Amino acid sequence: MNQIQHKKMSKGKLLQRTLFITIGAILMGVGLEIFLVPNNVIDGGIVGISIMLSYLSGWSLGLFIFLLNLPFFFLGYKQIGKTFAFSTLYGIIILSITTTFLHPVPAFTQDILLATVFGGIILGIGVGIVIRYGGSLDGTEILAILFNKKLPFSVGEIIMFMNLFILSSAGFVFSWDRAMYSLIAYFVAFKTIDITITGLDESKSVWVISDNYTVIGDAIMNRLGRGVTFLKGEGAYSGDDKKVIFCVINRIEEAKLKDIVTENDPSAFLAVADIAEVRGGRFKKRDIH
């Protein structure tokens, strides 16, 4: 069998990826050196370990970030792919350089709560941008993927366990109140990463099963301006043929869609789910006249 060849990335895509990974890594460096590190607040993962080692040894934070993440570059190359591995290596190099240059810069604020929240937000935006464009700035995700193959836990659970251990260690290195602030910073960054990756304009997939599928489908197209697809379905218990309406909307349109379904068939089956990303097709909303 002929192997499927990996398509080479276009120059435009490569430039876009490089630009945004650079921006994301710089933002993470700003969140660390201008907000968190001067106030003895750490992040999770390899970066958190690097902050504590830098504090204890007096050596550069950027040096530890680069050296500790380097083994995960080779693991990522073998397990996830060349493009991801080199994107990750590039992001880590930019992050290391940024933290080195920003280290002499004084903290933006001495208020520990403000530093924790805004540092977490800026850091989360930076990490989210890098992930969105195919890279990573921390080796714990790669380690969790490897452990996931041998342990009965999900990748998310493994990352959470490792980060709780790392963040708790801040209590011994700094103080317990700094460990608690570190947990706050990690939570803020975690939520910001989700928002950055999925975007604020969150889309939703809608599935409707109804005998009045034609009327409901026409109403969705005419009153919401959204494209509709009819899928063929079959009831497992009854064996009856069913038409399933599928469409994608944004969260603002959810209430109106529910009203459309209820008006035309109060007993219709309706399921709504969040979607991280939508591309192609006829998702773009048309004008309603």
Side-chain angles (χ1 to χ4, degrees):
M1 293 178 67
N2 294 326
Q3 290 186 341
I4 298 173
Q5 295 296 316
H6 178 71
K7 289 185 178 180
K8 191 176 181 180
M9 190 180 297
S10 66
K11 290 183 179 179
K13 281 284 185 183
L14 181 61
L15 180 63
Q16 182 189 52
R17 173 175 288 207
T18 303
L19 174 63
F20 279 101
I21 289 177
T22 303
I23 293 171
I26 291 173
L27 282 174
M28 184 176 182
V30 170
L32 289 172
E33 286 290 359
I34 305 299
F35 290 92
L36 299 183
V37 174
N39 290 286
N40 293 334
V41 177
I42 73 168
D43 183 30
I46 300 299
V47 173
I49 296 173
S50 300
I51 292 171
M52 290 186 284
L53 289 175
S54 175
Y55 175 81
L56 292 171
S57 67
W59 294 0
S60 168
L61 171 60
L63 178 65
F64 280 113
I65 289 174
F66 179 76
L67 292 178
L68 294 182
N69 274 297
L70 201 56
F72 299 104
F73 161 74
F74 296 103
L75 290 173
Y77 185 91
K78 290 183 177 181
Q79 298 293 326
I80 303 175
K82 181 170 67 174
T83 304
F84 170 82
F86 280 105
S87 298
T88 297
L89 179 63
Y90 174 73
I92 289 168
I93 291 171
I94 297 297
L95 174 60
S96 300
I97 293 171
T98 303
T99 55
T100 302
F101 275 103
L102 291 178
H103 188 68
V105 180
F108 190 80
T109 177
Q110 299 296 327
D111 187 306
I112 185 66
L113 184 58
L114 287 176
T116 298
V117 173
F118 280 92
I121 291 172
I122 295 170
L123 186 148
I125 292 172
V127 174
I129 290 172
V130 173
I131 292 173
R132 186 164 185 165
Y133 285 89
S136 176
L137 292 174
D138 197 288
T140 49
E141 286 88 351
I142 300 170
L143 193 62
I145 291 169
L146 298 177
F147 282 160
N148 174 249
K149 297 178 179 180
K150 298 182 179 181
L151 296 174
F153 301 105
S154 68
V155 172
E157 289 170 338
I158 295 169
I159 291 174
M160 183 181 68
F161 176 78
M162 289 191 293
N163 281 328
L164 284 175
F165 177 77
I166 293 166
L167 293 167
S168 298
S169 302
F172 296 99
V173 176
F174 301 115
S175 62
W176 290 108
D177 66 324
R178 289 303 191 264
M180 289 185 281
Y181 279 117
S182 297
L183 281 168
I184 294 172
Y186 175 73
F187 178 77
V188 171
F190 181 81
K191 299 306 292 184
T192 308
I193 289 169
D194 279 349
I195 293 171
T196 305
I197 294 172
T198 60
L200 291 170
D201 188 20
E202 189 177 88
S203 300
K204 294 178 178 288
S205 61
V206 179
W207 306 78
V208 183
I209 302 176
S210 170
D211 292 333
N212 297 333
Y213 60 88
T214 305
V215 178
I216 294 173
D218 288 343
I220 291 171
M221 288 189 289
N222 294 323
R223 292 171 61 184
L224 286 182
R226 292 296 186 187
V228 169
T229 300
F230 292 135
L231 307 175
K232 291 182 179 180
E234 180 181 337
Y237 179 75
S238 64
D240 296 338
D241 291 333
K242 296 284 185 181
K243 287 286 188 180
V244 181
I245 302 170
F246 173 75
C247 67
V248 177
I249 61 173
N250 61 42
R251 56 184 172 184
I252 297 173
E253 296 165 332
E254 183 178 353
K256 189 172 182 180
L257 182 133
K258 289 178 180 178
D259 288 340
I260 290 172
V261 174
T262 304
E263 287 169 9
N264 291 283
D265 186 358
S267 62
F269 172 83
L270 171 66
V272 181
D274 294 333
I275 298 179
E277 186 174 359
V278 180
R279 293 187 183 186
R282 294 183 57 195
F283 175 64
K284 188 175 179 181
K285 186 179 176 71
R286 64 176 177 80
D287 293 334
I288 303 173
H289 300 288

